Amino acid sequence: MSVSGTLLAVVPTVFLLGACAYLFWERTRIAREAEAMRKRHRNGEAEVRQLKKERDAMKAERDRALAEQMAAVASLEVAEQAKSTFLASMSHEIRTPLNCIMGLTEVIAEDVPEEDQDMVVYIKSSVSTLLGIVENVLNYAKFEAGNLEIRPESVNLNELVSGTVGLFLPECERKGLRIRFVPPDGKV
């Protein structure tokens, strides 16, 4: 056999061996890629499971927080109702004796000497102020409940301040202090 004949016989064999090596290498590469894909798939499934667990935990936390908030709101509503009931009953309990004091003051005012009539006026003024405070507490409770109708009213500021000063006058005199109100128009 000649060199060219030998080469012709060897070249297809070398070519076949090269093709076989290439196919083997390609098959190995594809197998590695397939395994990597399977591994990524398994990791992806594990990640999806983990994400589902986290989602479920977040839902459970949200539901727990919502339940706590609802319980807190219910508790606040009960407390608000108790406060309103307390204010209503206490204001009644306070108003009744104050009205009694006011009535008795009217009765004894007739028998008090003229020089002590200012004390009767202070008693009446103090009782009226206390009744006003009780009324304000009731109005505040109504306001909180959304049941208060607010109506603007004119107020004589001179009378309001003068009456307030009058409330403190007996105590100031007892302590040797002087208190007075001079209205803007200068009339005392």
Side-chain angles (χ1 to χ4, degrees), residues 105 112 115-125 170 173:
T105 304
V112 173
E115 64 270 5
D116 293 332
Q117 282 295 318
D118 59 337
M119 296 302 279
V120 172
V121 171
Y122 295 135
I123 291 171
K124 287 180 181 179
S125 177
E173 287 175 354

Side-chain angles (χ1 to χ4, degrees), residues 35 59 68-69 146 149 165 179:
E35 182 57 33
K59 281 182 179 179
E68 282 180 9
Q69 288 176 349
E149 180 184 333
V165 168
I179 185 172

